[in-house]
Amino acid sequence: MLNALLVMALIAASLGAILGFAAIKFRVMGNPLVEKINGVLPQTQCGQCGFPGCKPYATAISEGAADINLCPPGGDEGIQKLADLLGMEYKPFGSETAPKAKSVAIIDESTCIGCTLCIQACPVDAIVGAAKQLHTIIASECTGCELCLPPCPVDCITMETITEKITNWKWKYPVYALTPAKYDSPAP
Amino acid sequence: MRTLYKFHGGVHPPTNKDQSNQTSIKQAALPSKLIIPLHQHVGNIARSIVKVGERVLKGQIIGRPEGHLSSAVHASTSGTITATDTEQVAHPSGMPDYCITLIPDGLDEWMPLEEHDWQSMSHTDLRHKLRDAGVVGLGGAVFPSDMKLYSHNQKITTLVLNGAECEPYITCDDLLMRERAAEILQGAEMMRALLYADNVLIGIEDNKPEAIAAMRTAVEAGKHERMEVIAVPTIYPGGGAKQLIRVLTGIEVAAGVRSTNMGVQCFNVGTAYSAWRAIRYGEPLISRIVTITGNVAHPQNFEALIGTPGNELVAQAEELSGTTGYIMGGPMMGVLLPSKQVGVVKATNCLIAASDKLFPPPAPAMPCIRCTRCADVCPSELQPQELYWFSKAKNLAKAQDYHLFDCIECGACSYVCPSNIPLVQYYRFAKSEIWAQEASQKAADAARERHEFREHRIEREKLEKAEKLAAKEKAALAAKAARPLQSPATVTIPNADPENTIQLKIQTAIDHAKEQAAASKPKNTEQLTPEQLAQIADIEARRARIREIAKAASEGPA
């Protein structure tokens, strides 16, 4: 009886020690779920979800503090992906948020005064220029977040929706027009 | 007798080649205008180097290759550039792309051509020449040929020359081999040398006996010892690169592996011919053989200039009424052109004038009954019914698991489908959707990296600023500690508290400013003309007067 108890106690103690050691040795820094969620988000860093960037939004989702339907650039597909990842129900966009077509900012260079305010606002360093020098957008790096629009004192930045061109054209999902079946009228 | 191998599946559609291979290649008439797209090849679009109104000569380069993987574009005849703008091109989307419009002057005047002997040229020079001559794969893939003629990464044992031409209706390679066999072989010899390949296998489907005979005669006449012309069985898609390699060598090119990794490189016979012309005679790729067939009175092959509008070319074979549109390529893999006017490009091996009689509209698609006939004929040994299922459900990850990207879009599955399902359309949709998703994921990753770097940079700048400030303060303190020994005069503030450091600081700042003001002198006070001196004196006098007036005014009321 006593032996059995001792053996059990010993096993419990040693397993506890192993677990305790593992908890320290193999500790995962940060929340791995945040990284996963962040990987699904479109990384526009636009803040339209109400959080200052994609990672803060991902953190908020992982903590259950934010809904999954707050990301307009991600679109419906983004919500679907988040729902799949988190094992949640798909949730359509609320009344205030709507999916947004991908766009790119364009600086009207004849109006730009070179104030650098937009450069400071750009979350991905996609604007080049210097004080009193023309600014311009690196279109390939622009995420279309629109954060450069409000600080511009002369309103020389416009957003241009990215339209389909021959370079980004996609084969369409096959859809066929339905044709009504023809019936021969029965002989009288 | 060489043993031939078999590839999985394949179909036997009616070949319909006899209509167009009865007459020899005819030189197409000079068209009224040429619409030459700048992006006719795989890789980067060529950069236009001509201006509107400029006169160009035949063979003159009008689009320079850009970047690593690109190819040049040339003026197909002499004439005047009338537009460098976007035009509709031979692309299934029907969207416009950058084109150069050339109005021929009728002189067909060549630019001075450089003739070369390839055997005395370095391989690097040869590849450069091919790139500048715009030589790309003419079998339909239009991959820049210079990029395929490297062999430093792996040993190439066999060069396969593809003359199979398995697609129905098309006879351009057939006629080219019949009429210009010797030149094709010269080109192949050059390619073999570039690749250091041991032998050249020329695969021709056995429904082209004249071409096989002509090539065999040319091999003997030209004493090409390392070449062999092999008749391969006629089965679609026996002309696919992987399929032909399998049939000729028994090598199965694995998924995601290039044939070069397995020691085999493959070129179309037309490419070999063009490469030869480009080096030997300096003629860039400005024309190609195009089969005009289908709903025309005289189906035949034309040597057409790149950029010739489709309708002008088809008119020379006398288009019949009832033509609904043109199919570029064969009926199995070809695409319906967005309009009849789009120009011939380097990929245009055939234009079929389609009519409802030749190609009746497809019967409505019915549900898949899982008969797996498609799997039986798939040359890539895929499970087309599963791919269809996943593509239709937009389950793209699963489609990729089933090796969607090994599909060569040959259309054999659609051909045998008893439910008339346009399977290939689903695969094309799924492929382009996956590419788009990959591109957007890549963009998102790049954006995240840039954003994170920016945050890191801002943090770093803050830290650096703080450090700088701390260092400055420390230096100032050290200076202050050293100063009282030299100049005790600084403590001249009336009723100053020696403990009050703020006052001290302000005083030192004022002193510093005064010192600086004294040190700096106006720069334009030397070597003045008498007039300027007089002006200065005048101004000084005025200032003194104003000061006096001000003084009087401030004292007056008091």
PDB file of all heavy atoms in Angstrom, chain A residues 62-98:
ATOM      1  N   SER A  62      -7.347  37.609 -31.890  1.00  0.00           N
ATOM      2  CA  SER A  62      -6.910  36.438 -31.135  1.00  0.00           C
ATOM      3  C   SER A  62      -7.374  36.522 -29.678  1.00  0.00           C
ATOM      4  O   SER A  62      -7.595  35.514 -29.036  1.00  0.00           O
ATOM      5  CB  SER A  62      -5.394  36.299 -31.202  1.00  0.00           C
ATOM      6  OG  SER A  62      -4.795  37.271 -30.379  1.00  0.00           O
ATOM      7  N   GLU A  63      -7.537  37.747 -29.184  1.00  0.00           N
ATOM      8  CA  GLU A  63      -7.996  37.903 -27.803  1.00  0.00           C
ATOM      9  C   GLU A  63      -9.509  37.931 -27.717  1.00  0.00           C
ATOM     10  O   GLU A  63     -10.078  38.064 -26.632  1.00  0.00           O
ATOM     11  CB  GLU A  63      -7.432  39.204 -27.216  1.00  0.00           C
ATOM     12  CG  GLU A  63      -5.952  39.097 -26.925  1.00  0.00           C
ATOM     13  CD  GLU A  63      -5.305  40.458 -26.735  1.00  0.00           C
ATOM     14  OE1 GLU A  63      -6.020  41.472 -26.940  1.00  0.00           O
ATOM     15  OE2 GLU A  63      -4.111  40.495 -26.426  1.00  0.00           O
ATOM     16  N   GLY A  64     -10.151  37.867 -28.864  1.00  0.00           N
ATOM     17  CA  GLY A  64     -11.612  37.890 -28.868  1.00  0.00           C
ATOM     18  C   GLY A  64     -12.177  39.287 -28.709  1.00  0.00           C
ATOM     19  O   GLY A  64     -13.365  39.471 -28.461  1.00  0.00           O
ATOM     20  N   ALA A  65     -11.308  40.299 -28.852  1.00  0.00           N
ATOM     21  CA  ALA A  65     -11.760  41.669 -28.640  1.00  0.00           C
ATOM     22  C   ALA A  65     -12.332  42.291 -29.908  1.00  0.00           C
ATOM     23  O   ALA A  65     -12.952  43.342 -29.865  1.00  0.00           O
ATOM     24  CB  ALA A  65     -10.603  42.517 -28.129  1.00  0.00           C
ATOM     25  N   ALA A  66     -12.100  41.649 -31.061  1.00  0.00           N
ATOM     26  CA  ALA A  66     -12.608  42.234 -32.307  1.00  0.00           C
ATOM     27  C   ALA A  66     -13.271  41.159 -33.150  1.00  0.00           C
ATOM     28  O   ALA A  66     -12.929  39.981 -33.066  1.00  0.00           O
ATOM     29  CB  ALA A  66     -11.454  42.860 -33.085  1.00  0.00           C
ATOM     30  N   ASP A  67     -14.208  41.591 -33.985  1.00  0.00           N
ATOM     31  CA  ASP A  67     -14.904  40.691 -34.893  1.00  0.00           C
ATOM     32  C   ASP A  67     -14.011  40.381 -36.094  1.00  0.00           C
ATOM     33  O   ASP A  67     -13.029  41.082 -36.318  1.00  0.00           O
ATOM     34  CB  ASP A  67     -16.195  41.356 -35.369  1.00  0.00           C
ATOM     35  CG  ASP A  67     -17.389  40.657 -34.731  1.00  0.00           C
ATOM     36  OD1 ASP A  67     -17.243  39.473 -34.403  1.00  0.00           O
ATOM     37  OD2 ASP A  67     -18.441  41.310 -34.574  1.00  0.00           O
ATOM     38  N   ILE A  68     -14.403  39.361 -36.857  1.00  0.00           N
ATOM     39  CA  ILE A  68     -13.577  39.027 -38.007  1.00  0.00           C
ATOM     40  C   ILE A  68     -14.026  39.752 -39.266  1.00  0.00           C
ATOM     41  O   ILE A  68     -13.430  39.600 -40.317  1.00  0.00           O
ATOM     42  CB  ILE A  68     -13.556  37.499 -38.267  1.00  0.00           C
ATOM     43  CG1 ILE A  68     -14.981  36.967 -38.429  1.00  0.00           C
ATOM     44  CG2 ILE A  68     -12.830  36.774 -37.169  1.00  0.00           C
ATOM     45  CD1 ILE A  68     -15.037  35.547 -38.949  1.00  0.00           C
ATOM     46  N   ASN A  69     -15.071  40.559 -39.194  1.00  0.00           N
ATOM     47  CA  ASN A  69     -15.620  41.172 -40.408  1.00  0.00           C
ATOM     48  C   ASN A  69     -15.339  42.666 -40.470  1.00  0.00           C
ATOM     49  O   ASN A  69     -16.162  43.445 -40.908  1.00  0.00           O
ATOM     50  CB  ASN A  69     -17.129  40.908 -40.505  1.00  0.00           C
ATOM     51  CG  ASN A  69     -17.887  41.506 -39.334  1.00  0.00           C
ATOM     52  OD1 ASN A  69     -17.259  41.931 -38.364  1.00  0.00           O
ATOM     53  ND2 ASN A  69     -19.187  41.567 -39.442  1.00  0.00           N
ATOM     54  N   LEU A  70     -14.166  43.060 -40.009  1.00  0.00           N
ATOM     55  CA  LEU A  70     -13.884  44.499 -39.965  1.00  0.00           C
ATOM     56  C   LEU A  70     -12.858  44.936 -41.005  1.00  0.00           C
ATOM     57  O   LEU A  70     -12.458  46.091 -41.037  1.00  0.00           O
ATOM     58  CB  LEU A  70     -13.370  44.878 -38.569  1.00  0.00           C
ATOM     59  CG  LEU A  70     -14.317  44.594 -37.409  1.00  0.00           C
ATOM     60  CD1 LEU A  70     -13.646  44.959 -36.108  1.00  0.00           C
ATOM     61  CD2 LEU A  70     -15.605  45.377 -37.565  1.00  0.00           C
ATOM     62  N   CYS A  71     -12.407  44.022 -41.858  1.00  0.00           N
ATOM     63  CA  CYS A  71     -11.303  44.353 -42.760  1.00  0.00           C
ATOM     64  C   CYS A  71     -11.805  44.562 -44.192  1.00  0.00           C
ATOM     65  O   CYS A  71     -11.971  43.594 -44.929  1.00  0.00           O
ATOM     66  CB  CYS A  71     -10.259  43.238 -42.711  1.00  0.00           C
ATOM     67  SG  CYS A  71      -8.886  43.491 -43.831  1.00  0.00           S
ATOM     68  N   PRO A  72     -12.079  45.805 -44.591  1.00  0.00           N
ATOM     69  CA  PRO A  72     -12.599  46.036 -45.950  1.00  0.00           C
ATOM     70  C   PRO A  72     -11.651  45.600 -47.071  1.00  0.00           C
ATOM     71  O   PRO A  72     -12.115  45.015 -48.045  1.00  0.00           O
ATOM     72  CB  PRO A  72     -12.854  47.546 -45.990  1.00  0.00           C
ATOM     73  CG  PRO A  72     -12.917  47.969 -44.568  1.00  0.00           C
ATOM     74  CD  PRO A  72     -12.024  47.036 -43.817  1.00  0.00           C
ATOM     75  N   PRO A  73     -10.348  45.837 -46.969  1.00  0.00           N
ATOM     76  CA  PRO A  73      -9.498  45.408 -48.105  1.00  0.00           C
ATOM     77  C   PRO A  73      -9.457  43.888 -48.253  1.00  0.00           C
ATOM     78  O   PRO A  73      -9.218  43.380 -49.338  1.00  0.00           O
ATOM     79  CB  PRO A  73      -8.108  45.947 -47.755  1.00  0.00           C
ATOM     80  CG  PRO A  73      -8.333  46.978 -46.724  1.00  0.00           C
ATOM     81  CD  PRO A  73      -9.552  46.571 -45.978  1.00  0.00           C
ATOM     82  N   GLY A  74      -9.678  43.153 -47.168  1.00  0.00           N
ATOM     83  CA  GLY A  74      -9.639  41.691 -47.265  1.00  0.00           C
ATOM     84  C   GLY A  74     -10.832  41.146 -48.029  1.00  0.00           C
ATOM     85  O   GLY A  74     -10.746  40.076 -48.617  1.00  0.00           O
ATOM     86  N   GLY A  75     -11.927  41.868 -47.985  1.00  0.00           N
ATOM     87  CA  GLY A  75     -13.116  41.437 -48.706  1.00  0.00           C
ATOM     88  C   GLY A  75     -13.762  40.221 -48.074  1.00  0.00           C
ATOM     89  O   GLY A  75     -13.358  39.754 -47.006  1.00  0.00           O
ATOM     90  N   ASP A  76     -14.783  39.711 -48.759  1.00  0.00           N
ATOM     91  CA  ASP A  76     -15.505  38.545 -48.254  1.00  0.00           C
ATOM     92  C   ASP A  76     -14.585  37.336 -48.126  1.00  0.00           C
ATOM     93  O   ASP A  76     -14.707  36.540 -47.207  1.00  0.00           O
ATOM     94  CB  ASP A  76     -16.664  38.212 -49.202  1.00  0.00           C
ATOM     95  CG  ASP A  76     -17.929  38.946 -48.793  1.00  0.00           C
ATOM     96  OD1 ASP A  76     -18.169  39.018 -47.572  1.00  0.00           O
ATOM     97  OD2 ASP A  76     -18.651  39.448 -49.672  1.00  0.00           O
ATOM     98  N   GLU A  77     -13.651  37.242 -49.101  1.00  0.00           N
ATOM     99  CA  GLU A  77     -12.725  36.117 -49.081  1.00  0.00           C
ATOM    100  C   GLU A  77     -11.891  36.122 -47.800  1.00  0.00           C
ATOM    101  O   GLU A  77     -11.642  35.069 -47.216  1.00  0.00           O
ATOM    102  CB  GLU A  77     -11.762  36.246 -50.259  1.00  0.00           C
ATOM    103  CG  GLU A  77     -11.989  35.241 -51.337  1.00  0.00           C
ATOM    104  CD  GLU A  77     -11.171  35.597 -52.547  1.00  0.00           C
ATOM    105  OE1 GLU A  77      -9.938  35.510 -52.453  1.00  0.00           O
ATOM    106  OE2 GLU A  77     -11.759  36.023 -53.559  1.00  0.00           O
ATOM    107  N   GLY A  78     -11.505  37.316 -47.388  1.00  0.00           N
ATOM    108  CA  GLY A  78     -10.692  37.455 -46.186  1.00  0.00           C
ATOM    109  C   GLY A  78     -11.464  36.980 -44.970  1.00  0.00           C
ATOM    110  O   GLY A  78     -10.920  36.280 -44.111  1.00  0.00           O
ATOM    111  N   ILE A  79     -12.747  37.341 -44.904  1.00  0.00           N
ATOM    112  CA  ILE A  79     -13.565  36.906 -43.770  1.00  0.00           C
ATOM    113  C   ILE A  79     -13.671  35.390 -43.778  1.00  0.00           C
ATOM    114  O   ILE A  79     -13.554  34.729 -42.745  1.00  0.00           O
ATOM    115  CB  ILE A  79     -14.980  37.532 -43.848  1.00  0.00           C
ATOM    116  CG1 ILE A  79     -14.891  39.058 -43.852  1.00  0.00           C
ATOM    117  CG2 ILE A  79     -15.822  37.064 -42.674  1.00  0.00           C
ATOM    118  CD1 ILE A  79     -16.221  39.747 -43.994  1.00  0.00           C
ATOM    119  N   GLN A  80     -13.850  34.850 -44.988  1.00  0.00           N
ATOM    120  CA  GLN A  80     -13.967  33.394 -45.126  1.00  0.00           C
ATOM    121  C   GLN A  80     -12.710  32.711 -44.604  1.00  0.00           C
ATOM    122  O   GLN A  80     -12.774  31.728 -43.879  1.00  0.00           O
ATOM    123  CB  GLN A  80     -14.185  33.061 -46.607  1.00  0.00           C
ATOM    124  CG  GLN A  80     -14.700  31.662 -46.865  1.00  0.00           C
ATOM    125  CD  GLN A  80     -16.127  31.482 -46.381  1.00  0.00           C
ATOM    126  OE1 GLN A  80     -17.017  32.229 -46.770  1.00  0.00           O
ATOM    127  NE2 GLN A  80     -16.336  30.521 -45.494  1.00  0.00           N
ATOM    128  N   LYS A  81     -11.565  33.284 -44.988  1.00  0.00           N
ATOM    129  CA  LYS A  81     -10.293  32.685 -44.578  1.00  0.00           C
ATOM    130  C   LYS A  81     -10.137  32.745 -43.059  1.00  0.00           C
ATOM    131  O   LYS A  81      -9.697  31.780 -42.433  1.00  0.00           O
ATOM    132  CB  LYS A  81      -9.129  33.435 -45.232  1.00  0.00           C
ATOM    133  CG  LYS A  81      -8.800  32.933 -46.619  1.00  0.00           C
ATOM    134  CD  LYS A  81      -7.484  33.544 -47.044  1.00  0.00           C
ATOM    135  CE  LYS A  81      -7.325  33.549 -48.531  1.00  0.00           C
ATOM    136  NZ  LYS A  81      -6.306  34.505 -48.957  1.00  0.00           N
ATOM    137  N   LEU A  82     -10.498  33.902 -42.485  1.00  0.00           N
ATOM    138  CA  LEU A  82     -10.382  34.057 -41.032  1.00  0.00           C
ATOM    139  C   LEU A  82     -11.313  33.074 -40.330  1.00  0.00           C
ATOM    140  O   LEU A  82     -10.940  32.449 -39.335  1.00  0.00           O
ATOM    141  CB  LEU A  82     -10.729  35.487 -40.624  1.00  0.00           C
ATOM    142  CG  LEU A  82      -9.653  36.536 -40.854  1.00  0.00           C
ATOM    143  CD1 LEU A  82     -10.194  37.913 -40.554  1.00  0.00           C
ATOM    144  CD2 LEU A  82      -8.441  36.254 -39.983  1.00  0.00           C
ATOM    145  N   ALA A  83     -12.527  32.923 -40.883  1.00  0.00           N
ATOM    146  CA  ALA A  83     -13.499  32.012 -40.281  1.00  0.00           C
ATOM    147  C   ALA A  83     -12.968  30.580 -40.318  1.00  0.00           C
ATOM    148  O   ALA A  83     -13.056  29.843 -39.338  1.00  0.00           O
ATOM    149  CB  ALA A  83     -14.826  32.112 -41.021  1.00  0.00           C
ATOM    150  N   ASP A  84     -12.347  30.211 -41.473  1.00  0.00           N
ATOM    151  CA  ASP A  84     -11.784  28.866 -41.602  1.00  0.00           C
ATOM    152  C   ASP A  84     -10.663  28.658 -40.594  1.00  0.00           C
ATOM    153  O   ASP A  84     -10.566  27.612 -39.949  1.00  0.00           O
ATOM    154  CB  ASP A  84     -11.226  28.655 -43.019  1.00  0.00           C
ATOM    155  CG  ASP A  84     -12.335  28.458 -44.032  1.00  0.00           C
ATOM    156  OD1 ASP A  84     -13.482  28.249 -43.588  1.00  0.00           O
ATOM    157  OD2 ASP A  84     -12.065  28.517 -45.245  1.00  0.00           O
ATOM    158  N   LEU A  85      -9.819  29.675 -40.481  1.00  0.00           N
ATOM    159  CA  LEU A  85      -8.649  29.562 -39.610  1.00  0.00           C
ATOM    160  C   LEU A  85      -9.069  29.416 -38.149  1.00  0.00           C
ATOM    161  O   LEU A  85      -8.486  28.641 -37.402  1.00  0.00           O
ATOM    162  CB  LEU A  85      -7.760  30.802 -39.790  1.00  0.00           C
ATOM    163  CG  LEU A  85      -6.534  30.890 -38.895  1.00  0.00           C
ATOM    164  CD1 LEU A  85      -5.520  29.833 -39.279  1.00  0.00           C
ATOM    165  CD2 LEU A  85      -5.894  32.262 -38.992  1.00  0.00           C
ATOM    166  N   LEU A  86     -10.094  30.187 -37.760  1.00  0.00           N
ATOM    167  CA  LEU A  86     -10.458  30.235 -36.348  1.00  0.00           C
ATOM    168  C   LEU A  86     -11.596  29.294 -36.012  1.00  0.00           C
ATOM    169  O   LEU A  86     -12.046  29.249 -34.866  1.00  0.00           O
ATOM    170  CB  LEU A  86     -10.845  31.676 -35.975  1.00  0.00           C
ATOM    171  CG  LEU A  86      -9.740  32.712 -36.202  1.00  0.00           C
ATOM    172  CD1 LEU A  86     -10.289  34.106 -36.129  1.00  0.00           C
ATOM    173  CD2 LEU A  86      -8.628  32.526 -35.192  1.00  0.00           C
ATOM    174  N   GLY A  87     -12.078  28.557 -37.018  1.00  0.00           N
ATOM    175  CA  GLY A  87     -13.192  27.649 -36.760  1.00  0.00           C
ATOM    176  C   GLY A  87     -14.446  28.386 -36.348  1.00  0.00           C
ATOM    177  O   GLY A  87     -15.199  27.937 -35.496  1.00  0.00           O
ATOM    178  N   MET A  88     -14.645  29.561 -36.948  1.00  0.00           N
ATOM    179  CA  MET A  88     -15.823  30.370 -36.603  1.00  0.00           C
ATOM    180  C   MET A  88     -16.795  30.371 -37.772  1.00  0.00           C
ATOM    181  O   MET A  88     -16.475  29.963 -38.875  1.00  0.00           O
ATOM    182  CB  MET A  88     -15.403  31.810 -36.290  1.00  0.00           C
ATOM    183  CG  MET A  88     -14.673  31.938 -34.969  1.00  0.00           C
ATOM    184  SD  MET A  88     -13.828  33.492 -34.847  1.00  0.00           S
ATOM    185  CE  MET A  88     -15.170  34.587 -34.436  1.00  0.00           C
ATOM    186  N   GLU A  89     -17.967  30.872 -37.491  1.00  0.00           N
ATOM    187  CA  GLU A  89     -18.968  31.031 -38.544  1.00  0.00           C
ATOM    188  C   GLU A  89     -18.591  32.227 -39.410  1.00  0.00           C
ATOM    189  O   GLU A  89     -18.079  33.226 -38.908  1.00  0.00           O
ATOM    190  CB  GLU A  89     -20.347  31.295 -37.919  1.00  0.00           C
ATOM    191  CG  GLU A  89     -21.048  30.049 -37.428  1.00  0.00           C
ATOM    192  CD  GLU A  89     -21.583  29.197 -38.562  1.00  0.00           C
ATOM    193  OE1 GLU A  89     -22.342  29.734 -39.390  1.00  0.00           O
ATOM    194  OE2 GLU A  89     -21.211  28.001 -38.634  1.00  0.00           O
ATOM    195  N   TYR A  90     -18.862  32.121 -40.720  1.00  0.00           N
ATOM    196  CA  TYR A  90     -18.658  33.273 -41.595  1.00  0.00           C
ATOM    197  C   TYR A  90     -19.625  34.382 -41.176  1.00  0.00           C
ATOM    198  O   TYR A  90     -20.771  34.113 -40.812  1.00  0.00           O
ATOM    199  CB  TYR A  90     -18.914  32.861 -43.045  1.00  0.00           C
ATOM    200  CG  TYR A  90     -19.080  34.010 -43.990  1.00  0.00           C
ATOM    201  CD1 TYR A  90     -17.964  34.676 -44.484  1.00  0.00           C
ATOM    202  CD2 TYR A  90     -20.344  34.450 -44.367  1.00  0.00           C
ATOM    203  CE1 TYR A  90     -18.111  35.740 -45.334  1.00  0.00           C
ATOM    204  CE2 TYR A  90     -20.506  35.520 -45.211  1.00  0.00           C
ATOM    205  CZ  TYR A  90     -19.381  36.160 -45.699  1.00  0.00           C
ATOM    206  OH  TYR A  90     -19.528  37.230 -46.540  1.00  0.00           O
ATOM    207  N   LYS A  91     -19.152  35.597 -41.235  1.00  0.00           N
ATOM    208  CA  LYS A  91     -19.969  36.731 -40.801  1.00  0.00           C
ATOM    209  C   LYS A  91     -19.889  37.802 -41.878  1.00  0.00           C
ATOM    210  O   LYS A  91     -18.792  38.232 -42.212  1.00  0.00           O
ATOM    211  CB  LYS A  91     -19.349  37.272 -39.519  1.00  0.00           C
ATOM    212  CG  LYS A  91     -20.345  37.721 -38.497  1.00  0.00           C
ATOM    213  CD  LYS A  91     -19.574  38.092 -37.241  1.00  0.00           C
ATOM    214  CE  LYS A  91     -20.506  38.301 -36.082  1.00  0.00           C
ATOM    215  NZ  LYS A  91     -19.754  38.702 -34.902  1.00  0.00           N
ATOM    216  N   PRO A  92     -21.009  38.220 -42.434  1.00  0.00           N
ATOM    217  CA  PRO A  92     -20.921  39.245 -43.487  1.00  0.00           C
ATOM    218  C   PRO A  92     -20.509  40.600 -42.907  1.00  0.00           C
ATOM    219  O   PRO A  92     -20.567  40.812 -41.702  1.00  0.00           O
ATOM    220  CB  PRO A  92     -22.339  39.293 -44.049  1.00  0.00           C
ATOM    221  CG  PRO A  92     -23.205  38.761 -42.969  1.00  0.00           C
ATOM    222  CD  PRO A  92     -22.388  37.800 -42.170  1.00  0.00           C
ATOM    223  N   PHE A  93     -20.102  41.482 -43.802  1.00  0.00           N
ATOM    224  CA  PHE A  93     -19.699  42.819 -43.373  1.00  0.00           C
ATOM    225  C   PHE A  93     -20.867  43.527 -42.693  1.00  0.00           C
ATOM    226  O   PHE A  93     -22.025  43.329 -43.064  1.00  0.00           O
ATOM    227  CB  PHE A  93     -19.262  43.650 -44.575  1.00  0.00           C
ATOM    228  CG  PHE A  93     -17.840  43.410 -44.959  1.00  0.00           C
ATOM    229  CD1 PHE A  93     -17.532  42.742 -46.134  1.00  0.00           C
ATOM    230  CD2 PHE A  93     -16.807  43.843 -44.147  1.00  0.00           C
ATOM    231  CE1 PHE A  93     -16.224  42.516 -46.481  1.00  0.00           C
ATOM    232  CE2 PHE A  93     -15.488  43.613 -44.501  1.00  0.00           C
ATOM    233  CZ  PHE A  93     -15.199  42.945 -45.662  1.00  0.00           C
ATOM    234  N   GLY A  94     -20.551  44.328 -41.689  1.00  0.00           N
ATOM    235  CA  GLY A  94     -21.584  45.098 -41.006  1.00  0.00           C
ATOM    236  C   GLY A  94     -22.074  46.224 -41.911  1.00  0.00           C
ATOM    237  O   GLY A  94     -21.655  46.374 -43.056  1.00  0.00           O
ATOM    238  N   SER A  95     -22.958  47.050 -41.361  1.00  0.00           N
ATOM    239  CA  SER A  95     -23.568  48.106 -42.171  1.00  0.00           C
ATOM    240  C   SER A  95     -22.544  49.190 -42.515  1.00  0.00           C
ATOM    241  O   SER A  95     -22.636  49.836 -43.548  1.00  0.00           O
ATOM    242  CB  SER A  95     -24.753  48.700 -41.438  1.00  0.00           C
ATOM    243  OG  SER A  95     -24.340  49.117 -40.152  1.00  0.00           O
ATOM    244  N   GLU A  96     -21.553  49.371 -41.641  1.00  0.00           N
ATOM    245  CA  GLU A  96     -20.612  50.479 -41.873  1.00  0.00           C
ATOM    246  C   GLU A  96     -19.426  50.081 -42.742  1.00  0.00           C
ATOM    247  O   GLU A  96     -18.849  50.900 -43.433  1.00  0.00           O
ATOM    248  CB  GLU A  96     -20.096  51.016 -40.528  1.00  0.00           C
ATOM    249  CG  GLU A  96     -21.129  51.851 -39.807  1.00  0.00           C
ATOM    250  CD  GLU A  96     -20.989  51.732 -38.308  1.00  0.00           C
ATOM    251  OE1 GLU A  96     -19.868  51.676 -37.804  1.00  0.00           O
ATOM    252  OE2 GLU A  96     -22.041  51.687 -37.635  1.00  0.00           O
ATOM    253  N   THR A  97     -19.064  48.821 -42.669  1.00  0.00           N
ATOM    254  CA  THR A  97     -17.915  48.386 -43.465  1.00  0.00           C
ATOM    255  C   THR A  97     -18.388  47.638 -44.704  1.00  0.00           C
ATOM    256  O   THR A  97     -19.385  46.943 -44.663  1.00  0.00           O
ATOM    257  CB  THR A  97     -17.001  47.461 -42.644  1.00  0.00           C
ATOM    258  OG1 THR A  97     -17.826  46.609 -41.864  1.00  0.00           O
ATOM    259  CG2 THR A  97     -16.062  48.243 -41.778  1.00  0.00           C
ATOM    260  N   ALA A  98     -17.650  47.836 -45.762  1.00  0.00           N
ATOM    261  CA  ALA A  98     -17.969  47.146 -47.011  1.00  0.00           C
ATOM    262  C   ALA A  98     -16.661  46.771 -47.677  1.00  0.00           C
ATOM    263  O   ALA A  98     -15.647  47.450 -47.481  1.00  0.00           O
ATOM    264  CB  ALA A  98     -18.789  48.056 -47.912  1.00  0.00           C
TER     265      ALA A  98
END
